[in-house]
């Protein structure tokens, strides 16, 4: 069964519900933990700045008090990969329980590599960039405390799954199997598993009704035979 859903959004960014609505939806889904992981502060369209992140921390703490003994509420951050090892993770990570990291359209290019991403916003970047993109993630892994998982790897920019999986395994970072962004194929998951990668099932819910819904991700994990490597699943 799914133990926790650590990739959900609320009205703090571009989600449709409140923190408490996500918490109550997680309770109905039978989860032990729910994570609120809003977008990092350097996205152009739905950034969550430091002041809002501090308010979110206070609200998460309030939910833990209100629902103590029923569910644990965690605060994460879905940070943006901005370039070759560059992210928008704040220098003070003390308010976060964990960090997620992924590339998203709508971030300002920070170096030569990310400018190549921006040039391909309307069309998928050529696969020849997969190696350099995977290495950019690896550098970010080395520099990012509390990093739990890479979100929807391969969405928007290609990644060399073998390089990414090897780096993720070495840094104890999971690769997300996202219920909405189906960027990882069965073949990619099999390769990643062989290299020691762990996985995280996520709803990436933008409304309370989607919290805990990982049916697509779960089916893919089962088909690829990687469910025993999923860190938030228990038999």
């Amino acid at each position: 069964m799914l133990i926790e859903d650590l990739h959900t959004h609320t009205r703090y960014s571009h989600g449709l519900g409140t923190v408490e609505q996500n918490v109550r939806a997680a309770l109905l889904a039978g989860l032990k933990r729910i994570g609120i992981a809003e977008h990092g502060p350097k996205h152009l369209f739905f950034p969550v700045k430091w002041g809002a992140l501090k308010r979110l921390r206070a609200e998460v703490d309030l939910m833990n008090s209100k629902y103590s003994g029923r569910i644990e509420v965690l605060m994460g951050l879905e940070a943006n990969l901005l370039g070759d090892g560059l992210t928008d993770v704040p220098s003070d990570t003390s308010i976060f329980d964990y960090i997620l990291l992924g590339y998203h359209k709508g971030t300002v290019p920070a170096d030569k590599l990310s400018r190549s991403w921006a040039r391909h916003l309307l069309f998928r970047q050529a696969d020849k960039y997969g190696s350099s993109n995977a290495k950019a993630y690896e550098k970010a892994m080395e520099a990012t405390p509390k990093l739990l998982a890479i979100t929807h790897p391969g969405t928007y920019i290609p990644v060399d799954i073998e390089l990414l999986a090897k780096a993720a395994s070495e840094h104890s970072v999971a690769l997300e199997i996202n219920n909405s962004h189906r960027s990882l194929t069965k073949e990619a998951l099999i390769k990643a598993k062989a290299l020691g990668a762990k996985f995280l099932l996520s709803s990436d819910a933008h409304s309370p009704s989607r919290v805990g819904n990982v049916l697509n991700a779960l089916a893919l994990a089962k088909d690829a035979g990687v469910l025993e490597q999923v860190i938030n699943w228990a038999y």
Side-chain angles (χ1 to χ4, degrees):
M1 65 176 181
L2 187 71
I3 301 170
E4 57 192 4
D5 189 357
L6 299 180
H7 187 174
T8 76
H9 296 279
T10 72
R11 293 174 185 168
Y12 275 88
S13 60
H14 60 150
L16 300 178
T18 66
V19 173
E20 186 162 16
Q21 286 174 327
N22 277 22
V23 172
R24 294 181 67 85
L27 278 168
L28 289 174
L31 302 182
K32 295 182 178 179
R33 284 178 293 277
I34 173 71
I36 311 297
E38 299 295 10
H39 289 280
K42 290 192 176 181
H43 198 283
L44 288 176
F45 304 116
F46 32 81
V48 185
K49 301 296 186 180
W50 184 247
L53 289 170
K54 290 173 69 176
R55 292 194 298 274
L56 176 57
R57 177 74 258 180
E59 192 167 350
V60 166
D61 292 342
L62 178 62
M63 291 298 102
N64 276 306
S65 297
K66 183 173 181 177
Y67 293 93
S68 178
R70 300 176 63 189
I71 193 169
E72 183 179 6
V73 187
L74 303 178
M75 178 174 168
L77 178 75
E78 190 185 12
N80 296 292
L81 183 70
L82 301 177
D84 190 11
L86 304 175
T87 75
D88 61 354
V89 176
S91 57
D92 180 3
T93 60
S94 62
I95 67 171
F96 305 111
D97 297 308
Y98 62 95
I99 304 289
L100 306 176
L101 175 66
Y103 173 71
H104 299 88
K105 293 181 179 181
T107 52
V108 177
D111 60 7
K112 180 179 179 180
L113 179 61
S114 54
R115 284 193 290 274
S116 74
W117 301 338
R119 286 197 299 271
H120 295 87
L121 285 180
L122 296 179
F123 306 97
R124 179 179 167 83
Q125 190 186 37
D127 287 340
K128 68 180 181 179
Y129 290 95
S131 175
S132 57
N133 293 344
K135 291 176 182 177
Y137 271 115
E138 181 176 14
K139 290 180 181 178
M141 291 179 201
E142 295 169 352
T144 306
K146 300 184 179 181
L147 183 57
L148 176 69
I150 301 301
T151 58
H152 43 70
T155 299
Y156 307 127
I157 57 173
V159 291
D160 184 310
I161 192 61
E162 294 184 4
L163 287 177
L164 184 66
K166 184 174 184 293
S169 177
E170 291 174 353
H171 292 88
S172 299
V173 173
L175 301 180
E176 182 190 56
I177 307 176
N178 189 293
N179 199 65
S180 301
H181 297 282
R182 304 179 196 181
S183 54
L184 288 175
T185 64
K186 173 183 176 180
E187 293 71 24
L189 289 174
I190 291 171
K191 289 179 181 179
K193 177 185 176 182
L195 290 165
K198 302 288 187 181
F199 305 97
L200 179 76
L201 296 180
S202 298
S203 69
D204 196 358
H206 287 68
S207 68
S209 65
R210 305 298 294 176
V211 170
N213 182 350
V214 296
L215 292 178
N216 294 330
L218 177 59
L220 178 58
K222 287 180 176 179
D223 191 35
V226 303
L227 196 55
E228 68 272 20
Q229 298 296 103
V230 172
I231 63 175
N232 59 334
W233 182 266
Y235 289 94

